[in-house]
Amino acid sequence: MNTQIAKRIAVALNNELSVNDIQKLLEKPKNMDLGDVAFPCFTLAKKFRKPPHTIAIEIQNNLSSDLIQEVQVLGGYVNLFYDQPTITHQVLSQIVKEKNLYGTQQESKGNIVLDFSSPNIAKPFSMGHLRSTVIGNALANIAEKNGYQAIRINHLGDWGTQFGKLIVAYRKWGYQKTIEAAPIEELLKIYVKFHEEAEQDETLNEQARSAFKALEDGDEEALALWQWFRDASLEEFKTIYQLLGINFDSFAGEAFYNDKMAAVVKELKEKELLVQSDGAFVVEIDNMPPCLITKTDGATLYATRDLAAAIYRNQQYGPKKIFYVVGHEQSLHFKQLFNVIEKMGYDWAKDLQHVPFGMILKDGKKMSTRKGKIVLLADVLKEAIATAKRNIEEKNPNLVDKANVARQVGVGAVIFNDLKNDRLHDIEFSIEHMMHFEGETGPYIQYTFARISSLLEKANEHSYEVSFEALGEQAWPVILLLEQFPKVIANAFEQADPSQIAKYALQLARQFNKYYAHNKVLVDDNQRTSRLAFCQCVAVVLKESLALLGIAAPKKM
């Protein structure tokens, strides 16, 4: 709808502003009394050398469309009131026809690579990893809705000095049978013990460095232990991903790039970008600390590895964009990384984007694996599913497929609790708050969808006619929300912000429930088919909103 309105405004402005630029300026008024959509003229004053109010009046005088019932000017704003019957018919007819494809960009835009989740091998999958995992997956879904082919990469933390520590810890305190019975749990115990002991015994850190050096040099015993730790961890991680409904195209972690870094260092030397600094080699960057490429002993670092990964991914996938969904504490690292790639002469550096997010805090502090102060995601999911199951037993004990619905509702509650927040904000972990299934929650939206699904099943209608008069005035706020769905999807991708979808879904569910509380749907008159069409459209958009967030929509709860 915005496109059609933008075209009319472009004509009113003698096509001196593009339809795309006009679309970006269109906004929703804070108050419905001010119209259904508003066009601010303030940024046009310089271009047209006229006051915003004058430009607004000129648009009002030249604007005509069967979609618009009334045009008002207020200050520098052109406030447009839609023709409600026309818009209602267009929106509902489109959703009934397109179903889950509503809001989908049909034009193929190429590949987008998303680097997300990336837990560390031999460490448990904690709540600290939840944010990258669910934000990254939601962004991949939203990217696909916007016409991209999403390539999901799990850049596992499967290399580094922590493996030296783990090898030393295993040799001192580990037992093969105990670890085989519960790999991550036991590896965490000996990892925490290593740090506790190292505080008293400095030589342990030196032993760990030697053990990692042996691993880097290809020592057979060290490599065998590393492979064992990696395989055991990945099996446990895959159980979590299966529960979350997340799949990856690649699990190529840090170790994958071991044989690709020498070429990067060589290229940096050839391009005369490497500068020696206190025995180490760095790339100097304006207005930032230098980017460390190799240490004094020649060892490579995160930046070297990430350079190799970026170059490999660009060659392998030819992406239009690469998103790095990594916590905001790594912001400087990515600024340095992108800057170095630009200095290397790669024009695709502009297509790299760090998508930062806040932390999940416990008692106001960051969770720490080293100190054993973590909350396991598996435990949280298990408790959420158990809570959902208790609710089902209490409210709908005869529900078919209770275990599957409990899983969908419990897991959905955990995912939505994260994604409804602005991604840059820190979130205080609270299992009690997460388990609330009413209010601003995923289960509230799931329940609204299930309620509509039951209604449609009971009606058993297969053809719909759409009439605004049959719906009544209380349907209009819902119609407006349905009309805005494609724009919400586009904005969520442009701003890399899944919370926009989550907040939208909450708003749509609330507005529909207000309507449903005052309007009967299953009536035996000419209003019935229009109201069922209306309900079907809301169900389609709610289900698609949940799907974009990576949440299932059970038809019965």
Side-chain angles (χ1 to χ4, degrees), residues 409 412-413 416-417 420 436-437 439-448 506 546 551-552 557:
V409 174
F416 193 87
N417 186 70
K420 73 179 181 182
H436 288 165
F437 286 174
E440 294 190 348
T441 67
Y444 171 73
I445 298 164
Q446 287 173 317
Y447 178 72
T448 305
L506 276 172
L546 288 169
I551 299 171
M557 279 175 69

Side-chain angles (χ1 to χ4, degrees), residues 188-201:
L188 174 63
K189 279 182 186 175
I190 61 172
Y191 183 75
V192 171
K193 186 173 178 64
F194 176 91
H195 283 280
E196 288 171 350
E197 296 291 330
E199 286 181 7
Q200 310 300 323
D201 183 357

Side-chain angles (χ1 to χ4, degrees), residues 113 115 153 155 252-268 291-293 300-317 322 324 333-334 337-338 340-341 344 346 348 352:
V113 167
D115 175 332
I153 294 181
H155 189 70
E254 293 176 28
F256 179 77
Y257 300 99
N258 281 346
D259 62 352
K260 297 171 180 61
M261 288 185 288
V264 172
V265 176
K266 183 173 179 251
E267 185 178 346
L268 289 167
C291 182
L292 192 56
I293 302 297
T300 52
L301 293 108
Y302 278 122
T304 331
R305 207 170 293 275
D306 279 349
L307 284 170
I311 292 167
Y312 174 83
R313 290 165 183 174
N314 186 67
Q315 291 169 345
Q316 188 76 6
Y317 304 112
I322 298 181
Y324 294 84
H333 166 74
F334 284 107
L337 178 70
F338 301 162
V340 172
I341 292 169
M344 292 173 81
Y346 292 118
W348 47 265
L352 307 176

